[in-house]
């Protein structure tokens, strides 16, 4: 066993520092003034060959593969001071202190707060089984968030977690580990300093995290990460705030994709239709017609793998023409109906696949560990081989087959499924690793991420204008660059409804804002009526919204399945569609900074320790707090409102509450408890959209709750093409300022022309009505009669019920300032 005990020497490299210890080399690089890389190598090779990093400060063997998406920075050059016992590096934002003996690295922010510390003495080890371990110091009640897709509560203090992607159908969302993703990144938040730091382990061997589950009398409290091989390649992300850490993490591993608008709409899906004996195409088309007849919106259909059935076996890239008589005609009909197919493709190839010998000749498979043939693992319907996406020739072949047999048939959307590779049990099976050679143990979780990259590339290579929609069940760090994801084959239960929330928000803190859950549950019985209503009411706030099922009681989960509640289901989904401008603007923000769409309260309210352990109440975007009812038969519901601002009950005439307290509100089956924070700016569509991809907002409803200065960016583009990359988009900067005189400044940029014809601004002010309202200095007419106000083209009206002023006017199609005066007006004195 090797134990790193002391620093023996340091040498300066071009852009880095190399420490020599008693048994390993440690390379330190300041990627930016807030991102520090500590790489511990016991074999001292230090090869650079990443499939994940989007920002580097060094040459990488795989740079050519990521030429269009990797940025090479000049590393930050810190000031260096050395004493007999330690070396200090100062970037201006952080200080890294390397203590020589006993060996220990510590990271401080500019204020001197300790953000991170190794466990001094032997923080880095290599055992006789070639497993590497990194020990970190912790405080007893530190909070730990992230780790990718994990069951249970949001805060993982005193938990033991395993990073190993598995096909976990019907999992227990509270207690089971592992699930479908492998993302070795977490955020540590100190309850003492209220400052946070991020740790990303750039290593994709199977690993475990022990977050304070064990104690030793000989050491202070510690956590550890342990992996089956490779280097301890640790990126420390500073910035103090969780918001800044997520920004830095997605700078490092890739900004989330700006998905097409259809990806945010309702995705119909069920395994039932593609599994019919014949005429599945007619059944799906009839489903789409029924959706519209029942008054529901829709934007797509997740086409399960039944379309690939060949001799009752799933054989990717083939078409069952008993079920789908004319795939091109069927795809064209679905596109005409505004519900593009998202066809399911899988990386496992059954040995009985009709093209198997052809695939073997092309050398596309992961190889056996001993023999010069393909590795074999269990697959759907028998034994199978698995595509090796680290092989350039296999990547080329995959795109060719995918294009010819799926994309060219008539879609820009791909559903990558069953891509965890967990049935390939021999971890020594060999992968190409782009010519170097590696093992599936080393590379397994990267396969699904590369699979998504190839799908996105194939769509654009087939049609450069098309914006890809890739959705994937698995993924590694970096999956956010290519795909929307969902938390797998969940089980139908109230527990799953509840615990899918921290699974999704935990993914949001792991760099993936575009995550959702199968609404209603995928595995198990059909949801009962109340559970289904509550699940939809929760699901409308998720980035991916799909009602998807393979129920074991021969039922099909559909929006109208309970006639008595179909109206409630419809109302909730229609509400999501009216949120389109807010949701798409959040999607844009996510693509720029990684900001989650479903945000745990701690993301926005890090200074309020009472939210550190909150798992089930969340924020939709920045301004809308959602506290869904998660238990059957509830008549009241308790909601904690974070400290630091006031909160306004959207369902009860903007009733105002001070933050920092728990309130109890009455609820019934129709209630979706939502609260707006002070300073909120929330755009919605007043005209009802039925398609996010094809319908346009013509009537903008902007809810504003003044509270200090606040700027919001309302983003729009065509939502379909890649023209936004060339600036064909519209960013409307909405700046709200003032108290007695509130100004709302609108300033737009970009060449995309919006479709808004009318604007309604709803501004909450509980204590008084405005004195006057102007638009670019021109006074608007004040109406005391609501009916006359509604009939007018412009003007304002104060609602005594809501204590909010309504201002409306035709879209001026230029930058304007709306001014609302709440100044004192002495009527008697006049």
């Amino acid at each position: 066993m090797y134990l790193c005990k002391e620093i023996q020497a340091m040498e300066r490299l071009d852009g880095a520092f190399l420490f020599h210890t008693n048994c390993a080399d440690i390379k330190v690089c300041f990627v930016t003034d807030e991102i520090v890389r500590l790489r511990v190598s016991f074999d001292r090779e230090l090869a650079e060959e990443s499939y994940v990093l989007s920002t580097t400060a060094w040459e990488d063997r795989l740079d050519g593969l990521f030429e269009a998406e990797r940025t090479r920075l000049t590393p930050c050059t810190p000031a260096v001071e050395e004493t007999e016992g330690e070396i200090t590096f100062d970037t201006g934002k952080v200080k890294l202190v390397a203590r020589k003996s006993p060996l220990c690295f510590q990271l401080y922010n500019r204020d001197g707060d300790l953000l991170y510390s190794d466990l001094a003495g032997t923080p880095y080890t290599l055992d006789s089984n070639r497993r590497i371990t990194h020990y970190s110091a912790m405080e007893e009640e530190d909070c730990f968030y992230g780790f990718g897709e994990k069951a249970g509560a949001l805060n993982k203090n005193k938990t033991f977690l395993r990073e190993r992607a598995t096909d976990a159908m019907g999992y227990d969302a509270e207690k089971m580990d592992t699930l479908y993703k492998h993302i070795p990144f977490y955020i540590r938040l100190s309850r003492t300093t209220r400052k946070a730091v991020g740790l990303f382990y750039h290593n994709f061997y199977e690993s475990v995290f022990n977050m304070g589950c064990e104690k030793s009398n000989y050491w202070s409290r510690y956590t550890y990460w342990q992996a089956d091989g490779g280097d301890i390649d640790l990126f420390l992300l500073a910035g103090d705030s969780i918001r800044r850490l997520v920004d830095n993490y997605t700078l490092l591993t890739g900004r989330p994709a700006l998905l097409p608008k259809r990806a945010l709409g309702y995705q119909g899906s069920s395994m039932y239709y593609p599994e019919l004996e014949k005429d599945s195409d007619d059944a799906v088309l009839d489903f789409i017609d029924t959706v519209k007849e029942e008054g529901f919106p829709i934007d797509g259909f997740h086409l399960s793998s039944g379309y690939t059935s060949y001799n009752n076996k799933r054989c990717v890239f083939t078409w069952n023409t008993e079920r789908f008589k004319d795939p091109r005609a069927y795809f064209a009909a679905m596109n005409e109906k505004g519900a593009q197919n998202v066809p399911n493709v899988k990386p496992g190839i059954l040995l009985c696949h009709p093209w198997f010998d052809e695939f073997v000749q092309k050398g596309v498979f992961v190889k056996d560990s001993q023999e010069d043939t393909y590795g074999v693992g269990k697959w759907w319907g028998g034994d199978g081989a698995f595509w090796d996406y680290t092989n350039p020739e296999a990547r080329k072949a995959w795109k060719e087959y995918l294009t010819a047999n799926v994309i060219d048939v008539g879609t820009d959307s791909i559903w990558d499924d069953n891509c965890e590779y967990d049935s390939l049990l021999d971890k020594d099976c060999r992968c190409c690793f782009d010519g170097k050679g590696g093992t599936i143990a080393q590379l397994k979780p990267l396969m699904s991420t590369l699979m998504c990259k190839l799908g996105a590339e194939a769509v654009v290579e087939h049609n450069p204008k098309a914006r890809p929609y890739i959705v994937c069940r698995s993924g590694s760090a970096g999956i956010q660059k290519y795909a929307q994801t969902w938390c797998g084959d969940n089980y139908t239960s109230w527990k799953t409804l509840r615990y899918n929330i921290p699974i999704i928000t935990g993914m949001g803190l792991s760099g993936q804002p575009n995550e959702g859950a199968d609404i209603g549950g995928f595995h198990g019985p059909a949801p009962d009526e109340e559970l289904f209503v509550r699940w939809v009411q929760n699901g409308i706030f998720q980035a991916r919204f799909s009602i998807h099922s393979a129920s074991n009681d021969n039922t099909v989960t559909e929006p109208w399945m309970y006639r008595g509640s179909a109206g409630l289901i419809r109302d909730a989904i229609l509400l999501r569609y009216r949120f389109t401008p807010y949701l798409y603007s959040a999607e844009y923000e996510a693509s720029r900074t990684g900001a989650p769409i479903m945000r745990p309260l701690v993301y926005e309210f890090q200074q309020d320790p009472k939210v550190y352990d909150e798992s089930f109440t969340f924020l939709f975007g920045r301004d809308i707090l959602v506290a869904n009812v998660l238990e059957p038969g509830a008549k009241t519901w308790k909601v904690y409102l974070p400290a630091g601002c006031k909160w306004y009950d959207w369902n009860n005439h903007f009733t105002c509450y001070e933050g920092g307290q728990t309130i109890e509100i009455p609820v019934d089956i129709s209630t979706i408890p939502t609260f707006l924070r002070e300073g909120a700016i929330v755009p919605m569509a007043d005209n009802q959209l039925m398609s996010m991809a094809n319908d346009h907002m013509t009537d903008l409803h902007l809810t504003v709750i003044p509270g200090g200065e606040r700027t919001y960016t309302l983003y729009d583009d065509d939502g379909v093409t890649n023209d936004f990359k060339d600036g064909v988009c519209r960013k409307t900067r909405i700046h709200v300022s003032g108290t007695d005189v509130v100004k709302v400044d609108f300033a737009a940029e970009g060449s995309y022309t919006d479709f808004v014809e009318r604007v309604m601004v709803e501004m909450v002010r509980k204590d008084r009505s405005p004195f006057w309202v102007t638009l670019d200095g021109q006074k608007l007419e004040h109406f005391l009669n609501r009916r006359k106000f509604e009939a007018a083209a412009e003007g304002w009206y104060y609602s005594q019920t809501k204590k909010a002023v309504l201002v409306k006017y035709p879209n001026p199609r230029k930058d304007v300032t709306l001014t609302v005066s709440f100044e004192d007006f002495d009527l008697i004195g006049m």
Side-chain angles (χ1 to χ4, degrees):
M1 186 169 185
Y2 296 93
L3 309 173
C4 285
K5 296 181 178 180
E6 62 181 7
I7 295 172
Q8 297 176 338
M10 182 191 81
E11 60 179 296
R12 295 174 183 252
L13 306 177
D14 184 17
F17 303 86
L18 188 64
F19 293 87
H20 302 290
T21 76
N22 57 294
C23 62
D25 283 347
I26 303 176
K27 189 176 182 180
V28 176
C29 178
F30 294 84
V31 185
T32 71
D33 54 8
E34 290 183 334
I35 300 176
V36 184
R37 185 187 192 187
L38 299 173
R39 185 170 182 184
V40 182
S41 178
F42 289 92
D43 63 16
R44 306 178 194 267
E45 180 183 337
L46 294 167
E48 299 292 1
E49 43 199 14
S50 177
Y51 286 111
V52 164
L53 298 177
S54 287
T55 298
T56 64
W58 48 83
E59 185 177 353
D60 188 294
R61 180 171 69 86
L62 299 175
D63 280 343
L65 180 59
F66 297 94
E67 183 177 4
E69 56 190 81
R70 180 170 286 171
T71 300
R72 174 90 169 267
L73 301 179
T74 300
C76 177
T77 303
V80 182
E81 292 185 6
E82 183 170 2
T83 65
E84 182 178 348
E86 64 187 37
I87 307 171
T88 301
F89 304 87
D90 190 343
T91 71
K93 293 284 187 69
V94 298
K95 286 185 179 180
L96 180 73
V97 178
R99 306 195 187 279
K100 296 178 181 180
S101 183
L103 172 61
C104 179
F105 283 94
Q106 294 180 315
L107 187 70
Y108 297 83
N109 67 10
R110 72 169 79 194
D111 297 326
D113 298 310
L114 178 62
L115 300 176
Y116 165 82
S117 177
D118 286 336
L119 186 67
T122 56
Y124 313 113
T125 70
L126 175 71
D127 69 19
S128 56
N129 294 314
R130 307 301 296 175
R131 291 178 302 186
I132 52 172
T133 307
H134 174 219
Y135 294 89
S136 303
M138 67 171 283
E139 297 294 329
E140 191 68 35
E141 297 303 323
D142 280 345
C143 301
F144 302 105
Y145 307 113
F147 306 94
E149 190 174 77
K150 290 296 174 185
L154 183 70
N155 180 7
K156 305 303 184 188
N157 179 283
K158 297 183 181 67
T159 61
F160 187 89
L161 308 163
R162 189 179 182 191
E163 292 292 338
R164 177 181 182 268
T166 57
D167 184 344
M169 186 171 76
Y171 60 87
D172 183 321
E174 179 186 11
K175 296 181 177 180
M176 284 186 67
D177 189 56
T178 57
L179 298 182
Y180 302 83
K181 316 297 190 297
H182 182 127
I183 302 176
F185 167 71
Y186 72 88
I187 293 168
R188 171 188 178 266
L189 174 62
S190 168
R191 291 184 190 267
T192 303
T193 66
R194 301 185 187 178
K195 301 293 175 61
V197 67
L199 284 78
F200 169 53
Y201 292 91
H202 181 232
N203 177 310
F204 294 98
Y205 282 90
E206 289 184 14
S207 59
V208 297
F209 286 97
N210 187 323
M211 307 314 294
C213 281
E214 67 182 41
K215 281 189 174 183
S216 170
N217 193 44
Y218 302 99
W219 302 95
S220 61
R221 296 292 283 123
Y222 61 86
T223 69
Y224 70 76
W225 168 84
Q226 183 180 79
D228 288 348
D231 288 349
I232 301 171
D233 192 1
L234 172 64
F235 288 84
L236 292 173
L237 282 63
D240 293 349
S241 73
I242 293 175
R243 173 188 293 275
R244 182 63 180 157
L245 300 186
V246 173
D247 189 353
N248 274 331
Y249 173 74
T250 56
L251 171 70
L252 187 65
T253 62
R255 299 302 191 189
L258 179 60
L259 298 175
K261 287 182 180 177
R262 68 179 181 279
L264 304 175
Y266 167 41
Q267 300 291 318
S269 186
S270 170
M271 287 193 68
Y272 173 80
Y273 299 104
E275 301 294 334
L276 296 173
E277 289 187 10
K278 61 180 301 185
D279 298 334
S280 295
D281 46 5
D282 294 335
V284 176
L285 289 166
D286 182 66
F287 167 79
I288 302 301
D289 289 341
T290 304
V291 166
K292 296 183 177 184
E293 290 166 5
E294 293 285 339
F296 292 89
I298 194 164
D299 271 276
F301 186 83
H302 279 43
L303 183 63
S304 296
S305 57
Y307 78 95
T308 68
S309 179
Y310 178 89
N311 291 336
N312 293 319
K313 303 288 186 180
R314 283 170 169 77
C315 295
V316 67
F317 302 137
T318 69
W319 279 90
N320 183 316
T321 54
E322 288 292 312
R323 294 175 174 175
F324 295 86
K325 299 177 285 295
D326 184 343
R328 288 183 182 276
Y330 160 69
F331 271 50
M334 289 289 283
N335 289 338
E336 180 67 24
K337 292 177 183 293
Q340 185 175 113
N341 284 285
V342 189
N344 182 292
V345 295
K346 306 180 189 297
I349 310 296
L350 288 169
L351 304 188
C352 64
H353 193 293
W355 306 341
F356 191 81
D357 290 342
E358 182 179 325
F359 296 152
V360 171
Q361 290 175 3
K362 291 179 180 289
V364 302
F365 295 131
V366 174
K367 293 183 178 181
D368 184 78
S369 61
Q370 301 292 330
E371 306 295 330
D372 190 22
T373 184
Y374 46 84
V376 175
K378 294 297 181 184
W379 191 237
W380 278 33
D383 288 341
F386 297 82
W387 218 276
D388 181 4
Y389 299 109
T390 71
N391 181 339
E393 292 303 314
R395 290 196 294 264
K396 177 184 176 187
W398 181 263
K399 288 202 285 189
E400 289 172 350
Y401 285 112
L402 184 67
T403 300
N405 299 287
V406 179
I407 297 171
D408 191 58
V409 176
T411 188
D412 301 321
S413 307
I414 303 295
W415 172 9
D416 290 334
D417 200 11
N418 298 91
C419 42
E420 294 79 21
Y421 284 63
D422 65 322
S423 64
L424 198 55
L425 297 181
D426 184 353
K427 297 178 183 178
D428 292 328
C429 282
R430 293 169 294 151
C431 304
C432 175
F433 197 12
D434 274 83
K436 181 176 180 178
T439 65
I440 196 66
Q442 177 185 9
L443 301 163
K444 185 183 80 165
L446 299 164
M447 292 295 182
S448 53
T449 300
L450 289 171
M451 185 183 182
C452 292
K453 171 181 168 64
L454 296 177
E457 289 175 353
V459 167
V460 176
E461 287 167 10
H462 179 261
N463 177 7
K465 295 283 284 185
R467 196 186 313 182
Y469 172 32
I470 311 298
V471 61
C472 187
R473 191 174 73 178
S474 189
S476 68
I479 186 65
Q480 70 272 3
K481 291 181 284 191
Y482 311 115
Q484 181 189 81
T485 55
W486 87 104
C487 50
D489 297 339
N490 55 1
Y491 188 79
T492 301
S493 70
W494 284 92
K495 179 196 284 189
T496 304
L497 166 62
R498 172 181 286 267
Y499 280 95
N500 272 171
I501 295 172
I503 289 174
I504 294 169
T505 55
M507 276 291 282
L509 295 183
S510 304
Q512 172 55 308
N514 289 305
E515 171 101 340
D518 281 348
I519 306 303
F522 177 80
H523 184 60
D528 67 45
E529 188 166 359
E530 184 180 6
L531 174 58
F532 187 43
V533 171
R534 294 305 191 194
W535 216 319
V536 172
Q537 290 172 342
N538 181 270
I540 63 171
F541 301 105
Q542 298 172 13
R544 173 188 180 265
F545 181 76
S546 181
I547 299 171
H548 182 44
S549 66
S551 302
N552 60 14
D553 56 6
N554 300 323
T555 60
V556 182
T557 305
E558 293 177 323
W560 52 83
M561 63 188 294
Y562 295 108
R563 299 309 306 182
S565 297
L568 293 172
I569 301 293
R570 184 186 302 108
D571 289 346
I573 299 176
L574 290 174
L575 174 61
R576 177 183 179 86
Y577 273 69
R578 291 197 300 278
F579 271 128
T580 296
Y582 184 76
L583 176 57
Y584 196 55
S585 295
E587 176 74 10
Y588 170 73
E589 181 186 2
S591 75
R592 306 292 293 177
T593 67
I597 291 172
M598 273 180 62
R599 304 178 182 182
L601 299 186
V602 70
Y603 181 87
E604 292 284 348
F605 295 95
Q606 191 171 319
Q607 297 307 308
D608 182 358
K610 290 184 179 180
V611 306
Y612 288 6
D613 296 301
E614 175 55 55
S615 296
F616 309 113
T617 299
F618 60 90
L619 290 157
F620 177 47
R622 179 192 181 275
D623 288 332
I624 303 173
L625 183 145
V626 182
N628 285 107
V629 178
L630 304 173
E631 296 174 0
K635 302 300 181 184
T636 63
W637 197 246
K638 291 182 179 179
V639 182
Y640 178 73
L641 302 172
C645 66
K646 296 178 180 178
W647 293 92
Y648 296 79
D649 188 341
W650 211 346
N651 297 312
N652 188 23
H653 308 308
F654 297 118
T655 299
C656 181
Y657 299 94
E658 289 290 339
Q661 64 171 319
T662 298
I663 63 171
E664 189 167 2
I665 59 173
V667 297
D668 58 33
I669 190 62
S670 68
T671 306
I672 307 176
T674 45
F675 297 81
L676 297 182
R677 71 191 290 181
E678 186 178 13
I681 302 172
V682 179
M684 296 181 67
D686 260 342
N687 60 304
Q688 182 60 61
L689 308 183
M690 302 302 287
S691 167
M692 289 196 187
N694 298 321
D695 290 348
H696 300 287
M697 176 175 63
T698 58
D699 294 71
L700 169 64
H701 188 116
L702 189 71
T703 302
V704 176
I705 301 182
E709 287 206 27
R710 169 78 201 289
T711 300
Y712 176 88
T713 299
L714 173 61
Y715 177 84
D716 201 12
D717 59 35
D718 65 25
V720 177
T721 74
N722 293 309
D723 289 350
F724 73 95
K725 295 181 178 180
D726 297 321
V728 185
C729 59
R730 189 174 185 83
K731 303 172 193 175
T732 303
R733 181 180 179 273
I734 304 172
H735 180 74
V736 178
S737 60
T739 302
D740 291 334
V741 177
V742 179
K743 290 188 175 183
V744 184
D745 296 302
F746 297 84
E749 62 177 85
S751 59
Y752 181 74
T753 302
D754 67 33
F755 291 80
V756 174
E757 298 173 2
R758 292 164 291 276
V759 178
M760 174 79 79
V761 177
E762 184 173 30
M763 185 178 294
V764 178
R765 181 66 182 254
K766 305 301 287 185
D767 60 337
R768 63 179 61 196
S769 171
F771 181 17
W772 47 261
V773 176
T774 64
L775 186 67
D776 261 5
Q778 298 297 313
K779 282 196 172 183
L780 299 180
E781 184 176 355
H782 178 200
F783 291 88
L784 296 175
N785 182 289
R786 180 65 179 261
R787 179 180 54 80
K788 291 182 179 180
F789 168 73
E790 291 174 351
E794 65 178 26
W796 65 274
Y797 172 84
Y798 185 73
S799 169
Q800 292 289 350
T801 304
K802 289 186 173 183
K803 303 296 184 181
V805 57
L806 296 170
V807 184
K808 68 176 182 177
Y809 50 89
N811 185 0
R813 303 201 178 281
K814 64 174 184 176
D815 295 349
V816 296
T817 297
L818 175 69
T819 306
V820 182
S821 169
F822 295 100
E823 297 168 286
D824 289 332
F825 174 49
D826 185 359
L827 184 62
I828 296 176
M830 287 184 65

